[in-house]
Amino acid sequence: MKKILILICSISIILGLLPTSPIDAATVNPKKLLEQKYPREIVTVSKSVDLNGDNKKEHLLITESGNFYLINSKGVIVLIDTNYYSDEEPTIHVLNISAKEKHVAVTLDYLPSNTELLVYKYQNGTLKKKLSVMGDVGIDISKPRVIMQFWKNYYPEGGWKTAVAIYKWNSKKDKYVSSGELPR
């Protein structure tokens, strides 16, 4: 009898140590999931999208404290970046690169006309930064694979003209390739 009791206790302890079943992120409210882990975070911007073509949504969240989080389709919360502060509310854009690949772009606006753009690629359950540019006149995402950065090219004698740098996604090189007038 004593051996059976020890065996039952041992099995209970082992089962208690095993990881619980993964959370289905599609059925959980992402704001509440983040709040459970980080009770002081207040979500100001959120977007849910299938980033890798597996028919399961990933969740993108920017908080009042300036943190950018990804909750992947397994329910794992990943801190992607910090210091996402701007004069206007940040905007999350999803760029359709191909049927199975999407990039996440975040724009941060600073008055009167500066816009910062950060672009990420979904890889291995997280987001990897692929592009970071500042447009002191503006940023335009004209096509899913083309980003235009408008910036002030100052003349030596004073004044400036608007210059345009173009960034296109190159899948073979796994990066955005630049052309046009690049900032110095």
Side-chain angles (χ1 to χ4, degrees):
M1 182 71 174
K2 190 175 181 182
K3 288 182 180 180
I4 294 174
L5 187 58
I6 292 172
L7 180 64
I8 291 173
C9 288
S10 298
I11 291 172
S12 296
I13 291 171
I14 291 170
L15 289 176
L17 295 175
L18 290 176
T20 58
S21 61
I23 296 171
D24 181 7
T27 62
V28 176
N29 180 327
K31 290 180 183 180
K32 288 185 179 180
L33 189 62
L34 185 72
E35 185 180 280
Q36 287 173 355
K37 187 164 183 177
Y38 303 107
R40 293 185 178 169
E41 290 284 33
I42 298 169
V43 176
T44 56
V45 178
S46 69
K47 191 167 213 138
S48 298
V49 64
D50 178 11
L51 293 173
N52 58 353
D54 65 354
N55 295 321
K56 296 177 185 175
K57 289 189 176 184
E58 287 77 29
H59 307 285
L60 309 161
L61 306 157
I62 299 174
T63 63
E64 204 172 74
S65 62
N67 293 329
F68 179 36
Y69 293 95
L70 165 76
I71 302 176
N72 67 26
S73 61
K74 295 177 182 165
V76 177
I77 300 171
V78 182
L79 176 63
I80 301 301
D81 210 347
T82 59
N83 296 321
Y84 274 54
Y85 298 107
S86 63
D87 295 331
E88 307 272 329
E89 191 171 88
T91 305
I92 298 172
H93 310 269
V94 177
L95 311 178
N96 293 313
I97 301 301
S98 70
K100 293 198 175 200
E101 183 178 2
K102 293 178 176 67
H103 290 187
V104 175
V106 178
T107 52
L108 304 167
D109 294 311
Y110 308 100
L111 298 175
S113 64
N114 291 348
T115 301
E116 183 177 8
L117 176 76
L118 303 130
V119 183
Y120 299 87
K121 178 182 176 183
Y122 187 77
Q123 291 178 293
N124 303 321
T126 190
L127 294 173
K128 302 287 184 187
K129 192 181 293 182
K130 295 295 179 177
L131 182 66
S132 175
V133 294
M134 175 70 80
D136 55 3
V137 175
I139 298 281
D140 183 38
I141 304 170
S142 61
K143 297 177 185 174
R145 293 181 177 205
V146 179
I147 295 166
M148 297 189 327
Q149 171 192 26
F150 301 95
W151 59 280
K152 295 176 183 173
N153 190 355
Y154 289 93
Y155 298 118
E157 64 277 358
W160 56 273
K161 70 170 183 150
T162 301
V164 181
I166 299 169
Y167 301 90
K168 292 182 182 180
W169 178 250
N170 185 314
S171 297
K172 291 178 183 173
K173 293 182 179 181
D174 195 41
K175 69 177 188 175
Y176 282 88
V177 178
S178 58
S179 63
E181 292 183 75
L182 301 177
R184 297 175 197 91

